[in-house]
Amino acid sequence: MSEDNMSKLKVGITLGDSNGIGIEVAMKAIGVPEMMDLCVPVLYGSSRIVSYHRNACNLPGFQINHTKSAEQLKTNMPNLIECIEQEIKVELGQPSKQAGLASFIALEAAVRDLKAGLIDVLVTAPINKDNIQSEQFHFPGHTEYLESATGEGEKALMIMCTENLRIALATTHLPLSQVFGALSIEGIREKLRMFNAALTRDFNIDKPRIAVLSLNPHAGENGMLGNEERDIIMPAIQQSLDEDDVQCFGPYAADGFFGARHYRRFDGVLAMYHDQGLTPFKTIAMDEGVNFTAGLPIVRTSPDHGTGYDIAGQGIANESSMRHAIYMAIDIYRNRKRYDEAHQNPLPKLFQDRGRDNVKLDLTKGE
């Protein structure tokens, strides 16, 4: 696809929990002239619910094309796919099953259009992972749902991203008590392979360098504080280097690693569990963080915040993360196109790489 044909992608945006801040940040993000120069925003939800939020938050008005089909989009203005026929009561700041139903209907409609090629990428506003649960949605979150709905047998990898920091998770939405049992050598190797592939294809990084965090305090202190580093993580790193050609290093104790800002020396960081990666990420990323679902045939991003019930309807929610999610989805789509075009007919490999870096970089020394 040429650059001109890719210049205005159709960006599907689900409006998330109808009682949270998703609609506010989405409307703020797309309601600027430069957004229409870059893409065609396609919202999925209900015009009645959107109007309620626009009035409550005193959002500036702009023209929206209302339609029931993504085959009837207008490219000179934002579009709203009317996919919620049920009467949904808006209760700002309050979780409800109705809000969960609305978020699921919008998500399902957007995924259906994405798979049909009617939109190019998907950006999802935050959902409440509890009230969205139903017979149709029985997943811990967006990542697992999208893996099931669009994965075609491929597995998803959650990556939290800013321009200069990318953190992937070896385990995602698991209770902490289950993390230890969920880690394995092959499981970590698989995540490293997926992470390496995403950094290469989706972020256009040649030979990415990945830091791997430890599980236990002080990286286990040679077994005094746990054996997972010695028995699982270090073998996974070594095998990834030797057999998978993944340039990965560690394991590094998370507190010192982030405290000394060593993440700046790497293209990506693999954390062992959810809060180990997301707590420092959200501290560092501030309002620019994006959640990217890697490993799937489709491109999906999301702002890195939640439903924001405490500030819903007040007009004070920051839309920066949503705007960056839209920008990143477009960038990743384009990077994939360029990568795939460049690798359609690769030349045969005529030599064998010799030598690799040490398994663990000494971060106390300069490079």
Side-chain angles (χ1 to χ4, degrees):
M1 183 178 292
S2 70
E3 193 72 31
D4 288 339
N5 289 336
M6 291 165 51
S7 59
K8 289 193 71 171
L9 300 181
K10 296 172 184 173
V11 179
I13 304 172
T14 61
L15 297 180
D17 191 292
S18 56
N19 294 334
I21 63 173
I23 295 174
E24 178 186 346
V25 296
M27 298 302 288
K28 287 179 176 178
I30 68 170
V32 291
E34 54 266 30
M35 188 61 71
M36 286 306 308
D37 294 334
L38 183 65
C39 67
V40 180
V42 184
L43 308 174
Y44 286 80
S46 157
S47 58
R48 189 187 67 81
I49 296 175
V50 169
S51 295
Y52 190 104
H53 280 258
R54 293 179 81 167
N55 292 332
C57 298
N58 194 29
L59 299 177
F62 53 87
Q63 191 172 6
I64 298 178
N65 174 46
H66 297 265
T67 177
K68 289 186 177 295
S69 171
E71 296 181 291
Q72 299 174 341
L73 302 178
K74 293 186 177 180
T75 59
N76 62 340
M77 66 179 69
N79 297 265
L80 172 62
I81 305 293
E82 296 276 7
C83 58
I84 301 175
E85 298 180 355
Q86 293 87 336
E87 187 72 19
I88 302 295
K89 182 180 180 181
V90 179
E91 300 175 280
L92 291 173
Q94 300 298 319
S96 73
K97 294 302 291 185
Q98 279 199 331
L101 174 62
S103 62
F104 172 71
I105 293 171
L107 177 62
E108 186 180 43
V111 168
R112 183 170 56 248
D113 286 348
L114 184 64
K115 293 171 68 175
L118 298 176
I119 56 176
D120 297 301
V121 298
L122 176 64
V123 179
T124 59
I127 59 173
N128 180 308
K129 295 177 178 61
D130 177 36
N131 68 31
I132 196 176
Q133 297 298 316
S134 67
E135 291 183 2
Q136 292 76 34
F137 191 102
H138 46 81
F139 304 91
H142 276 117
T143 302
E144 296 82 1
Y145 169 79
L146 291 169
E147 179 182 280
S148 174
T150 70
E152 300 176 4
E154 299 295 326
K155 292 186 178 180
L157 177 68
M158 179 188 292
I159 305 178
M160 306 302 294
C161 318
T162 63
E163 184 176 355
N164 298 311
L165 174 62
R166 303 165 197 89
I167 300 180
L169 302 178
T171 62
T172 51
H173 299 114
L174 283 181
L176 191 57
S177 61
Q178 297 179 19
V179 169
F180 291 79
L183 293 175
S184 67
I185 294 174
E186 183 50 43
I188 292 174
R189 284 182 63 185
E190 180 182 48
K191 297 294 185 180
L192 285 169
R193 289 192 295 267
M194 295 170 64
F195 198 9
N196 184 72
L199 291 170
T200 302
R201 181 175 179 235
D202 298 331
F203 293 95
N204 194 30
I205 300 173
D206 185 43
K207 285 290 183 182
R209 291 152 53 97
I210 301 173
V212 182
L213 301 183
S214 64
L215 177 66
N216 296 298
H218 305 290
E221 289 281 18
N222 293 319
M224 291 182 59
L225 300 178
N227 297 321
E228 284 78 13
E229 286 72 24
R230 181 191 64 200
D231 296 342
I232 299 175
I233 301 175
M234 292 181 70
I237 293 172
Q238 189 65 61
Q239 292 177 29
S240 295
L241 278 163
D242 293 340
E243 301 175 29
D244 303 327
D245 197 27
V246 175
Q247 298 300 303
C248 52
F249 311 89
Y252 301 112
D255 55 351
F257 182 85
F258 287 108
R261 300 184 181 181
H262 289 317
Y263 57 86
R264 294 179 298 180
R265 301 187 183 187
F266 297 92
D267 301 300
V269 180
L270 181 67
M272 292 298 106
Y273 58 93
H274 186 279
D275 284 15
Q276 184 189 52
L278 268 65
T279 299
F281 177 83
K282 292 188 177 184
T283 302
I284 295 165
M286 300 298 288
D287 297 317
E288 298 181 359
V290 175
N291 179 353
F292 166 50
T293 304
L296 301 180
I298 56 99
V299 175
R300 174 260 175 173
T301 61
S302 178
D304 73 343
H305 56 71
T307 54
Y309 288 139
D310 57 324
I311 59 171
Q314 299 178 35
I316 60 175
N318 190 322
E319 74 276 15
S320 294
S321 184
M322 173 61 82
R323 184 174 292 119
H324 278 85
I326 295 172
Y327 292 159
M328 186 171 289
I330 294 170
D331 287 343
I332 290 171
Y333 182 94
R334 290 176 172 174
N335 284 341
R336 282 190 180 183
K337 287 290 185 182
R338 295 189 188 103
Y339 181 91
D340 293 346
E341 288 173 358
H343 292 81
Q344 281 182 345
N345 298 297
L347 293 173
K349 192 170 184 179
L350 300 178
F351 62 91
Q352 179 68 36
D353 292 338
R354 298 292 183 185
R356 292 185 174 89
D357 296 323
N358 292 329
V359 173
K360 185 168 182 177
L361 292 181
D362 186 350
L363 297 179
T364 64
K365 300 178 180 178
E367 296 183 66

